[in-house]
Amino acid sequence: MSKRIAFQGEPGAYGHQACVEARPDFEPLPCPTFEAAIDAVRTGEADLGMIAVENSTYGRVGDVHTLLPSSGLHIVDEAFVRVHINLLGKPGAQLDQIRTASGHVVILPQCGKFLRSHGIATQVSPDNARAAMDVADGDDMTAGALASEMAAEIYGLNVIARHIEDHDRNTTRFLIMAREPDFNRRGKHGMVTSFVFRVRNIPAALYKAMGGFATNGVNMTKLESYMVGGQFTATQFYAEVEGHPDDRNVKLAMDELDYFTDHIRLMGVFPAAPRRLEKGDT
């Protein structure tokens, strides 16, 4: 039995594309939501999960960072997918016929200039591939979908306009999740350590907590905050740093962080993808 990798969306979604590109030897498993994809890994229905976390045009994918710490899963890799957005329509439909275009809430702002210039109204769909499926199943020649060329092939749609994204480096970053961590690898392009933490309720706690990374020469590549439990006073931070927890400077920085926090959870240790080296992509 082949190994499976779960993703959010219908067949033809960008998560599906990420699975094919990053794990071609795994069978992609479509799931209706990110929660369902995470559950598939947690229960053993899938071996890995492909979870979108941010887009270079749109920014952070909402709610994902609140799901990951409570998932019980571990980040074992990252993948960057160049997102080419296409306007898909029924066979025979022309661009000047399209009045509406459907897509996931994350994709709509990524091609806003094109849609506005052609007077096309937007409609939110649970998933880009689902939007393509709905257009294929309907009989409305004025309805379009914003999706991949893979989705066009799967659902028998025509590519009315190709590569309509606003930015020519439009990229989505995915995290690959597993039930067990893997601390033994060393990546060709370095390692990334990810973790979540909450600072203690003392003056300048965050400033002091971050000081250990500066003094120990550890490069922090990401620091994001979000509320916990709907309380403005309960803020959790998601962070990523370059290096491995076994590296002396990372260990010293994490020890100092521990002094100023009341909660730290290691989320994953994984090789940095080559895409990180391409300036301007993320």
Side-chain angles (χ1 to χ4, degrees), residues 19 32 56-57 63 86 92 123 139 154 182 188 191 199 202 227 241 243 246:
C19 293
S56 58
T57 302
D63 298 332
N86 308 282
Q123 294 181 347
D139 55 9
I154 291 173
D182 185 351
K188 180 179 179 181
M191 298 296 292
V199 294
I202 58 176
M227 300 302 173
V241 299
D246 290 341

Side-chain angles (χ1 to χ4, degrees), residues 10-261:
E10 301 288 347
Y14 291 102
H16 186 182
Q17 178 182 335
C19 293
V20 171
E21 291 180 4
R23 291 293 187 276
D25 53 335
F26 279 63
E27 176 188 350
L29 175 66
C31 299
T33 63
F34 288 118
E35 292 93 331
I38 288 171
D39 284 341
V41 181
R42 191 160 45 203
T43 61
E45 184 180 2
D47 300 277
L48 298 174
M50 180 71 72
I51 307 298
V53 290
E54 58 191 325
N55 174 266
S56 58
T57 302
Y58 178 84
R60 185 169 70 183
V61 176
D63 298 332
V64 169
H65 284 140
T66 61
L67 293 173
L68 299 187
S70 60
S71 68
L73 303 180
H74 304 270
I75 303 169
V76 295
D77 257 318
E78 63 179 351
F80 292 85
V81 171
R82 176 67 173 86
V83 177
H84 288 300
I85 304 172
N86 308 282
L87 178 62
L88 313 182
K90 301 282 288 184
Q94 302 298 314
L95 178 57
D96 58 7
Q97 291 179 266
I98 303 299
R99 297 289 176 263
T100 62
S102 300
H104 191 276
V105 64
V106 171
I107 208 173
L108 299 179
Q110 297 176 32
C111 53
K113 292 179 182 178
F114 176 90
L115 298 176
R116 288 190 296 271
S117 68
H118 289 85
I120 299 174
T122 60
Q123 294 181 347
V124 175
S125 174
D127 172 63
N128 302 306
R130 174 60 183 270
M133 179 192 301
D134 289 343
V135 170
D137 289 343
D139 55 9
D140 187 356
M141 297 293 287
T142 71
L146 303 169
S148 66
E149 293 188 58
M150 178 190 291
E153 295 174 3
I154 291 173
Y155 301 109
L157 297 176
N158 282 358
V159 178
I160 297 175
R162 185 174 273 104
H163 300 182
I164 63 172
E165 57 272 13
D166 291 347
H167 300 290
D168 60 6
R169 294 193 176 211
N170 190 37
T171 303
T172 295
R173 180 183 181 228
F174 292 81
L175 296 178
I176 301 177
M177 312 291 293
R179 287 185 295 278
E180 298 296 332
D182 185 351
F183 299 141
N184 296 321
R185 294 172 299 169
R186 289 285 178 166
K188 180 179 179 181
H189 303 287
M191 298 296 292
V192 179
T193 297
S194 65
F195 52 94
V196 294
F197 66 94
R198 299 178 199 171
V199 294
R200 294 167 54 196
N201 188 21
I202 58 176
L206 179 60
Y207 172 78
K208 295 173 180 176
M210 295 298 94
F213 295 95
T215 56
N216 288 288
V218 178
N219 186 27
M220 180 169 286
T221 58
K222 185 173 294 296
L223 179 64
E224 298 182 346
S225 64
Y226 54 93
M227 300 302 173
V228 179
Q231 301 180 38
F232 287 103
T233 56
T235 302
Q236 185 156 278
F237 295 88
Y238 173 87
E240 293 179 359
V241 299
E242 294 180 350
H244 191 286
D246 290 341
D247 296 343
R248 174 173 168 76
N249 62 334
V250 175
K251 186 179 186 306
L252 290 172
M254 294 297 289
D255 287 345
E256 192 162 338
L257 175 67
D258 183 58
Y259 181 79
F260 294 105
T261 60

